[in-house]
Amino acid sequence: MRAKPVPWTREHLLIAMNLYCKLPFGSFDKSNALIIDVAQKMGRTASSLAMKLSNLASLDPVHTARGISGLAGASKKDRAIWEEFHSNLTELAADSEVLFQDLFNAGNDTQVEVVSPSSYELKTLPTSTETTATIRVRRGQNFFRQSLLAAYGGRCCVSGLSIRPMLIASHIKPWAKFPTDRMNLRNGLCLSSIHDAAFDNGLITFSPNFELILGKKLKSVGSEPSVVANFGNYEGAPLRLPEKLAEPDPEFMNYHREAIYLG
């Protein structure tokens, strides 16, 4: 006798949204070890989770603009959770990350990180006395980092560096000043640590066509080999745009050019 399908609850849909953000398009397969593991922890089949992720892909505007489509079976619930999730990322990104971490019984001192399209690592964090609110903020930051790195294929959008510990989920509009945009993936860039420092300090920016612009301070020492290697070689080159969800918002980039870039 065939088992009855497990209903898609709101919690399961939020977990699916979370995982969708952390996996590249093309990895939504029932044989994917990560999808198998997450599905089992949800009490679902890998096939149902893989299909749900493919349905969500059909709602991704970046894919739509590029003529890429997922499955055509997105339900009203899928569309509703997609719209709600992206219209209230500040709350729902953190909610989804808490649910995702709870699947793995991650405590306050541990954190599950998706490190490839098919695997994850359980990381031990320093023992702390964080409040529930602080833990929630950290969960949200964890979601933002993993999702942004996934969108950029795990590479710096300037240099192409793919060494994960050296990659930063950098905010275009500062985290501290714009709390409502903290979880907005379109307010992020995947940068190496050196490019993140230069971007945050206004030493570099990007043109309306997403081409790298070097400021006067960098150009004044432009002959130094390290400056040439890390910046001069990429001047005028377009940044590597993300594969989904997180194409930088032109208005956010404009803010960076006008309010942060030092010229």
Side-chain angles (χ1 to χ4, degrees), residues 45 91-92 158 245:
T45 65
E91 294 297 322
L92 293 189
V158 172
L245 283 176

Side-chain angles (χ1 to χ4, degrees), residues 80-218:
I81 201 69
W82 180 279
E83 293 297 328
E84 184 186 359
F85 190 83
H86 290 287
S87 64
N88 189 18
L89 270 169
T90 302
E91 294 297 322
L92 293 189
D95 286 350
S96 73
E97 187 65 18
V98 170
L99 290 167
F100 182 81
Q101 296 291 331
D102 286 349
L103 274 185
F104 295 84
N105 296 316
N108 295 346
D109 302 325
T110 56
Q111 178 171 286
V112 174
E113 182 171 347
V114 176
V115 295
S116 81
S118 60
S119 64
Y120 64 89
E121 292 179 356
L122 183 62
K123 297 188 174 182
T124 302
L125 304 173
T127 301
S128 69
T129 55
E130 291 178 306
T131 64
T132 300
T134 305
I135 292 169
R136 181 179 169 81
V137 169
R138 174 161 55 79
R139 294 299 194 211
Q141 291 170 333
N142 186 44
F143 167 85
F144 182 81
R145 171 179 164 76
Q146 291 187 55
S147 299
L148 198 68
L149 265 60
Y152 281 88
R155 292 182 176 274
C156 170
C157 65
V158 172
S159 66
L161 180 77
S162 62
I163 303 173
R164 195 174 181 90
M166 297 179 68
L167 297 177
I168 306 294
S170 183
H171 284 83
I172 300 170
K173 293 168 69 176
W175 187 90
K177 290 185 178 180
F178 297 92
T180 59
D181 289 313
R182 288 174 181 173
M183 297 297 109
N184 187 346
L185 297 178
R186 299 196 69 193
N187 187 36
L189 296 172
C190 180
L191 294 170
S192 71
S193 53
I194 191 169
H195 292 102
D196 170 69
F199 187 69
D200 275 357
N201 286 283
L203 303 179
I204 62 173
T205 193
F206 295 91
S207 74
N209 293 323
F210 301 125
E211 296 163 340
L212 181 65
I213 299 172
L214 305 188
K216 294 177 183 177
K217 285 191 175 182
L218 277 179

Side-chain angles (χ1 to χ4, degrees), residues 44-58:
R44 312 195 64 86
T45 65
S47 294
S48 72
L49 179 55
M51 184 175 293
K52 182 62 67 179
L53 294 172
S54 294
N55 286 336
L56 292 174
S58 71

